[in-house]
Amino acid sequence: MICWPHCDDDGDPCYDPWGFYICDPWNPDPENPEESYVDCAGIEGEWAYIAPCGCIGGSTGIWDCPNQDTTENDPCEAIRRANLLKNDANISHEIDNIKNNTSETGYKLFVSDPTDPNTYYIGPGIGGGNSSWASNFTWNANHGYGIGHLHNHPQGSAPNPSDAMVGIDLDQMKSLHTSSEVDFYTKNFSAIIVAGSEVYTITIKDAAQYKLDQKAYDADRALSASDWLSKAQGYITSNPSATPQEAGVYALLEMYGNSINLSRQGINSNNSNVELSLNSNNNVITKNPC
């Protein structure tokens, strides 16, 4: 049997020079009216084809392959990074500076070389409360390559959606910068939150999911904050002995657990970060994933 346009009848799929699927030699010639053709979606006479991301076109309703973002940091890598950050003398110094502040104070974290995480430095403190530190993250040589932030929660509350999602707009970054720069950012982004006697660290777990979550957060930040608060209140209702911090952790993981890693350690401790996650009963648990 001849495979259209030209393939050997050896049972192997046929691809064009760009790697797109053309036809299956076991299917008849689609240009021969006496025979039928079934595309990769299983539809006779349609023209869906196999692309690098799977079956697209034809009746699938999918016309382009999505960006193939990858998982950046597994939980063990996240713990390792959180411990390194907390052990850093400069970061520990700033944690000590803000841990007892009665108003919110933040610092942005930068690198001078967007290919080398060892060139990081801490920007000047930004006071004023109400997350005033959280605007205007930059990615350029003149104003700095921002890879995260450090700030306190004066009331000792758990990390919230803004802590996890503010930073460089990942969707916009992908259209303005090289893929290697985007990969560097998603691999090295860190948010450090000082809350009471605890230090929380957030890193990106899955870049593709994080981009979607960040886009939804930016579309309606007030709704994200309201959703987080509602989930936290629901957790306390179901778990009366839970602390407000635990409830806030639950809410954040319920919303973004597929896109972020979240770890915690005591403010006076070193090398003791633990992963925070939800078990099968949707309760907050701690563990060492390494």
Side-chain angles (χ1 to χ4, degrees):
M1 185 180 297
I2 301 300
C3 181
W4 180 87
H6 298 292
C7 288
D8 293 331
D9 191 3
D10 57 3
D12 294 324
C14 304
Y15 297 85
D16 69 14
W18 297 275
F20 291 119
Y21 176 95
I22 298 173
C23 58
D24 183 337
W26 296 115
N27 285 330
D29 180 359
E31 292 191 335
N32 187 337
E34 296 182 0
E35 302 189 58
S36 62
Y37 170 77
V38 179
D39 68 8
C40 62
I43 307 299
E44 183 176 314
E46 285 287 342
W47 293 97
Y49 59 92
I50 297 295
C53 58
C55 185
I56 69 174
S59 62
T60 67
I62 303 170
W63 304 108
D64 296 294
C65 285
N67 291 324
Q68 299 298 300
D69 297 303
T70 60
T71 298
E72 301 296 341
N73 297 297
D74 64 27
C76 185
E77 171 62 20
I79 292 295
R80 186 193 70 82
R81 179 164 178 76
N83 285 333
L84 286 173
L85 289 167
K86 178 63 170 58
N87 292 346
D88 181 86
N90 294 322
I91 288 179
S92 290
H93 176 72
E94 301 304 349
I95 288 174
D96 285 338
N97 280 344
I98 65 176
K99 64 183 180 182
N100 295 319
N101 282 10
T102 56
S103 63
E104 191 170 316
T105 304
Y107 304 85
K108 292 175 182 175
L109 309 179
F110 299 91
V111 289
S112 56
D113 180 349
T115 66
D116 185 358
N118 295 317
T119 63
Y120 100 93
Y121 62 95
I122 303 174
I126 304 170
N130 298 320
S131 298
S132 58
W133 55 269
S135 60
N136 301 321
F137 282 79
T138 60
W139 190 263
N140 59 65
N142 291 331
H143 300 99
Y145 299 95
I147 58 167
H149 50 87
L150 158 67
H151 69 283
N152 66 317
H153 282 189
Q155 304 304 317
S157 57
N160 57 48
S162 70
D163 299 327
M165 293 296 145
V166 297
I168 303 293
D169 184 319
L170 195 55
D171 196 37
Q172 184 180 56
M173 187 183 190
K174 289 180 71 67
S175 66
L176 297 176
H177 301 283
T178 65
S179 59
S180 61
E181 287 179 288
V182 175
D183 184 66
F184 178 89
Y185 175 80
T186 55
K187 194 167 187 64
N188 291 283
F189 169 84
S190 300
I192 304 170
I193 302 94
V194 181
S197 62
E198 308 287 356
V199 177
Y200 294 88
T201 304
I202 296 170
T203 60
I204 294 174
K205 177 191 295 183
D206 186 291
Q209 185 60 49
Y210 184 88
K211 182 174 69 172
L212 295 175
D213 288 343
Q214 187 185 54
K215 187 173 184 178
Y217 168 78
D218 287 336
D220 197 332
R221 296 189 175 195
L223 179 62
S224 296
S226 176
D227 188 27
W228 176 76
L229 183 59
S230 176
K231 290 180 185 300
Q233 291 171 336
Y235 186 81
I236 289 180
T237 299
S238 301
N239 302 272
S241 63
T243 65
Q245 268 202 17
E246 181 182 339
V249 166
Y250 161 80
L252 195 69
L253 292 173
E254 177 69 17
M255 295 173 71
Y256 305 131
N258 290 328
S259 63
I260 66 169
N261 293 302
L262 179 62
S263 64
R264 181 184 68 198
Q265 73 172 343
I267 198 166
N268 296 317
S269 302
N270 289 312
N271 297 313
S272 60
N273 267 282
V274 292
E275 177 193 5
L276 296 164
S277 60
L278 302 180
N279 65 13
S280 58
N281 294 319
N282 268 341
N283 291 320
V284 176
I285 59 171
T286 62
K287 60 182 178 181
N288 186 341
C290 301

